[in-house]
Amino acid sequence: MSTNSSPTESPTTEPGPSILAERTLLGIFVHFIAILPFIGPIATVVIYLASSHEFTRANARNALDWHLFVIGSVLATFALLIGLDTLFEYVTVPGPLEAAVLLPVFVLVFAAMSLGLLSAVIWIVAMAKAIFGEAWRYPFAPELV
């Protein structure tokens, strides 16, 4: 049986990309790690600071930007709510005015809680994008890191 190719000829197909050279498992799973309660954002900071691989750092930065945005939104909204409640304890305000001030705050509370719930969907999309090699910027999240 004879073959028509010699050892010096190049193969007819190009070699596939070296997946782990282009993207790392940590760069993919950093989105899942970031969603873990309490330790997730801290672990994401550690991954961002410790990694030397650009794909891992980009994904950790995106996850960290999202979680800082969500945590900051929730904290700011509840601080506003508690501050206004405290203010209304010491300052007498007519009921309709108090309701007019508090209604937008309750909308902000709903929006902040929705961001937290949206995180469950967002990290799945980000992890899927990372599997295919894209460091996806989370929607709405400003670049904080």
Side-chain angles (χ1 to χ4, degrees):
M1 177 166 31
S2 121
T3 60
N4 292 337
S5 65
S6 69
T8 58
E9 287 183 23
S10 63
T12 57
T13 60
E14 292 292 318
S18 176
I19 290 177
L20 293 181
E22 296 172 5
R23 50 192 174 248
T24 62
L25 291 176
L26 195 55
I28 293 169
F29 289 112
V30 71
H31 302 285
F32 175 75
I33 293 167
I35 201 74
L36 298 173
F38 305 111
I39 63 167
I42 295 168
T44 306
V45 169
V46 171
I47 291 168
Y48 177 74
L49 294 175
S51 179
S52 61
H53 196 279
E54 186 54 37
F55 181 75
T56 303
R57 286 180 61 85
N59 278 286
R61 179 177 44 250
N62 293 341
L64 193 55
D65 282 344
W66 173 258
H67 290 288
L68 289 174
F69 172 62
V70 171
I71 291 167
S73 298
V74 170
L75 290 177
T77 301
F78 282 108
L80 179 63
L81 183 62
I82 291 168
L84 286 174
D85 183 53
T86 304
L87 176 67
F88 290 150
E89 279 184 27
Y90 295 106
V91 177
T92 304
V93 178
L97 180 60
E98 184 177 346
V101 170
L102 287 179
L103 183 62
V105 174
F106 284 118
V107 170
L108 287 174
V109 168
F110 178 76
M113 292 174 67
S114 296
L115 282 176
L117 295 174
L118 186 63
S119 292
V121 174
I122 293 290
W123 74 261
I124 292 171
V125 172
M127 204 162 93
K129 296 273 190 175
I131 289 170
F132 291 102
E134 182 182 346
W136 183 63
R137 291 281 317 151
Y138 288 53
F140 314 117
E143 290 187 36
L144 301 171
V145 179

